[in-house]
Amino acid sequence: MTQPNVVFIMSDQHQGKASGCYGHDFVRTPNIDSLAESGTLFSRAYTSSPICTPARAALATGQYIHRNECWDNGHPYDGRPKSWHHMLREHGVPTTSIGKLHFRSEADDTGFETQIIPMHAVEGVGELRGCIKRPMTKPMTASHVMTDIGPGDSPYIRYDLDIAERSCAWLRSQAAKPDGKPFVGFISFVCPHPPHLAPREFYDIYARIRIPEPKAYAPESPVHPWIALQRNQQNYNDFVTPETWPVLMKSYYGCISYLDQNIGKVLKTLEETGLRNNTFVIYTSDHGENLGARRMWGKCNMYEEASNIPMIISGPGIPPGETNLTPVTLIDVAPTMLDAMNLPGVAEANNLPGISMIELAKTGGNPERVAFTEYYAAGAETAAFMLRRGKFKYIHYVDFEPELFDLDTDPEELANLCSDPAYRNRIQEFEAILRGIVDPEAVNEAAYLSQCRKVAAAGGREAIIARGKYQVSPPPGEPIVWVP
């Protein structure tokens, strides 16, 4: 068999459990489900940071956020440190991207040979309001993403269609090349990221379904103090009513089914061109979506809704129909891509902390491995960190009490075990693991100082606040929409 190809498919804001293959009650994702049937599904997969720009920088570099210093959406990746795209290129394997990247600029050398219709940080800067801390900005006074909902059209829907069509054309061109050299394609869709507008045929799939109220949605539901501060600053729920939240959720699910259709087009093209049997296909998302849980929308925290993501790998030698319990994150993508291209030693030479998911899939994995996630961005009074090992999840907040959950007995994360004396040793063990990876207080301060420098360089907090806020990055050719 010749050297396999790799097609890496990414979405934006796809909640980990919101697919049929992940056990969702009614979300229809036949193409993602088929991919899982043909390969291995990682059920304990997490973002490296639950917000777009840092997550994508971690995926590209294979490095923790506190190493690559892409702290938030105002610190986009600029090609430093080296990405797996650079590493592949250095070994004669060019990589093509199609769709959203959310790096600083197409002009930066980020390692791709070609970027097709890329989406990058707005104006090469990104969202600077999230850099404003001590104090954070005041709550929003308007939110289009919470009110422009239901069946309809959006620039993101049109952009994803363009990404799918160009991806299929690119794959056909690869299949037609006579040299037979392996190729690597990074295909990055934006759905189901808001705006929560779904094409009518996909919204209608869910139109008659009775959507259950989000968990802990009652105003009197208990909330952790760190989360309370974030919820006050990222006050999306202020723009949601009892009549609109079901529509919003149906729109989100409709966008997932639309995404699934576009993924299906890519998979069908691989089959039609005869490439499928010799191609690794990987699917994941940059982070999840709160979808109303705890009266929160968007992402930006460590609960399963926002931090847990789909992660599926299929291809030569990958066991079909398997569920792998190893905790993995986006930093594991870089060593996986290097492994897929048969480049032993490159990950170690570049000091990558992750592990190849191809190796994990073939060996059955390790449920006791530790997954690590970190967050310094919008709405964070201080940094937050998450560790997942086995059935336990530990969330550490700088200057706030931690949280510990047993996800076997409490998958909805409603019973914090940190006040239970029976878990004191477990909490101490997790904190020791955390401090073996990072100094929480030190990197919290390092992130803050870096954010202060960004704010100062942009004219100061008042100038940034006066400019307003854009709530979504526009696709190529679309205008920026600002709100107060």
Side-chain angles (χ1 to χ4, degrees):
M1 184 178 68
T2 59
Q3 171 65 48
N5 313 299
V6 183
V7 171
F8 189 101
I9 304 174
M10 192 169 192
S11 63
D12 197 316
Q13 213 149 314
H14 187 182
Q15 189 184 87
K17 63 183 179 182
S19 298
C21 56
Y22 277 90
H24 198 281
D25 292 344
F26 55 79
V27 173
R28 297 185 189 178
T29 51
N31 295 295
I32 295 173
D33 298 349
S34 176
L35 184 65
E37 290 173 4
S38 72
T40 294
L41 176 153
F42 287 85
S43 60
R44 298 174 179 177
Y46 292 90
T47 182
S48 293
S49 189
I51 194 169
C52 294
T53 299
R56 291 165 182 273
L59 183 149
T61 63
Q63 299 286 358
Y64 297 130
I65 308 303
H66 64 270
R67 289 188 185 179
N68 65 40
E69 299 185 355
C70 295
W71 307 107
D72 50 50
N73 278 3
H75 286 76
Y77 177 60
D78 63 3
R80 299 168 295 173
K82 188 186 297 185
S83 67
W84 56 262
H85 339 130
H86 287 116
M87 297 173 203
L88 291 182
R89 188 177 68 187
E90 289 171 356
H91 289 81
V93 183
T95 302
T96 295
S97 76
I98 308 172
K100 179 175 180 177
L101 289 172
H102 230 214
F103 298 162
R104 185 176 69 173
S105 168
E106 188 175 359
D108 292 327
D109 177 11
T110 56
F112 287 113
E113 180 186 52
T114 306
Q115 296 180 28
I116 300 173
I117 52 170
M119 177 198 293
H120 286 293
V122 169
E123 299 176 339
V125 176
E127 175 55 75
L128 293 177
R129 285 170 67 105
C131 294
I132 297 174
K133 305 288 179 70
R134 303 183 191 179
M136 295 185 286
T137 58
K138 293 180 179 180
M140 297 177 288
T141 58
S143 177
H144 297 314
V145 298
M146 292 290 101
T147 55
D148 294 346
I149 59 177
D153 190 23
S154 77
Y156 277 10
I157 292 170
R158 297 190 295 273
Y159 185 42
D160 268 8
L161 178 60
D162 197 8
I163 293 167
E165 291 177 346
R166 289 176 185 251
S167 296
C168 293
W170 181 80
L171 286 170
R172 286 190 287 269
S173 72
Q174 296 301 306
K177 289 184 176 180
D179 57 22
K181 290 183 179 180
F183 62 83
V184 176
F186 181 83
I187 299 171
S188 185
F189 296 105
V190 288
C191 285
H193 188 289
H196 297 298
L197 287 162
R200 165 64 74 177
E201 65 179 293
F202 295 97
Y203 181 87
D204 284 350
I205 294 172
Y206 306 98
R208 297 184 181 277
I209 293 177
R210 182 183 178 278
I211 303 293
E213 182 178 272
K215 72 179 177 191
Y217 195 71
E220 64 273 13
S221 298
V223 60
H224 188 279
W226 189 95
I227 293 293
L229 288 169
Q230 184 183 66
R231 193 169 68 181
N232 179 68
Q233 198 268 344
Q234 295 190 301
N235 57 318
Y236 291 113
N237 200 66
D238 288 355
F239 311 100
V240 179
T241 69
E243 292 73 33
T244 62
W245 66 252
V247 176
L248 199 158
M249 296 176 76
K250 292 174 184 179
S251 303
Y252 177 76
Y253 295 134
C255 285
I256 289 175
S257 291
Y258 175 64
L259 163 73
D260 182 82
Q261 182 190 71
N262 284 319
I263 291 174
K265 293 176 181 178
V266 174
L267 298 178
K268 182 179 180 182
T269 301
L270 283 170
E271 294 284 356
E272 291 174 345
T273 54
L275 295 169
R276 182 66 182 91
N277 289 340
N278 196 41
T279 300
F280 287 107
V281 179
I282 302 171
Y283 172 64
T284 193
S285 193
D286 55 354
H287 49 72
E289 159 66 55
N290 287 303
L291 210 59
R294 300 175 180 83
R295 303 180 75 80
M296 301 178 74
W297 304 85
K299 48 269 187 179
C300 304
N301 62 67
M302 299 301 179
Y303 297 128
E304 290 291 284
E305 290 79 18
S307 66
N308 180 240
I309 55 175
M311 184 71 76
I312 301 167
I313 182 167
S314 172
I318 301 298
E322 293 291 323
T323 295
N324 195 298
L325 298 180
T326 307
V328 295
T329 72
L330 293 178
I331 66 159
D332 297 312
V333 168
T336 301
M337 301 300 283
L338 296 168
D339 189 11
M341 287 293 103
N342 193 27
L343 294 173
V346 177
E348 184 177 358
N350 285 277
N351 195 29
L352 300 183
I355 189 170
S356 167
M357 290 179 285
I358 295 174
E359 176 185 337
L360 290 172
K362 290 181 177 180
T363 60
N366 174 18
E368 293 302 309
R369 183 189 186 226
V370 174
F372 169 72
T373 300
E374 53 197 316
Y375 186 77
Y376 311 88
E381 179 77 4
T382 59
F385 306 88
M386 184 276 288
L387 298 174
R388 173 73 193 266
R389 186 174 72 173
K391 66 178 183 176
F392 288 104
K393 177 196 274 191
Y394 172 76
I395 306 175
H396 184 97
Y397 304 98
V398 173
D399 296 335
F400 293 84
E401 290 296 316
E403 293 184 289
L404 178 70
F405 300 103
D406 181 336
L407 295 183
D408 280 359
T409 61
D410 179 30
E412 299 300 327
E413 300 168 291
L414 298 175
N416 180 12
L417 301 173
C418 278
S419 60
D420 188 335
Y423 293 92
R424 185 176 297 119
N425 290 341
R426 179 78 61 178
I427 293 164
Q428 292 173 349
E429 177 186 0
F430 270 117
E431 184 171 357
I433 294 171
L434 173 65
R435 293 187 181 278
I437 299 171
V438 66
D439 181 332
E441 292 79 18
V443 298
N444 176 65
E445 192 66 14
Y448 171 68
L449 293 176
S450 181
Q451 289 162 339
C452 288
R453 290 191 291 271
K454 284 280 186 179
V455 170
R461 64 180 290 137
E462 297 307 321
I464 293 171
I465 292 171
R467 190 181 190 190
K469 174 182 176 65
Y470 65 88
Q471 294 190 325
V472 298
S473 298
E478 294 288 339
I480 304 169
V481 178
W482 298 90
V483 298

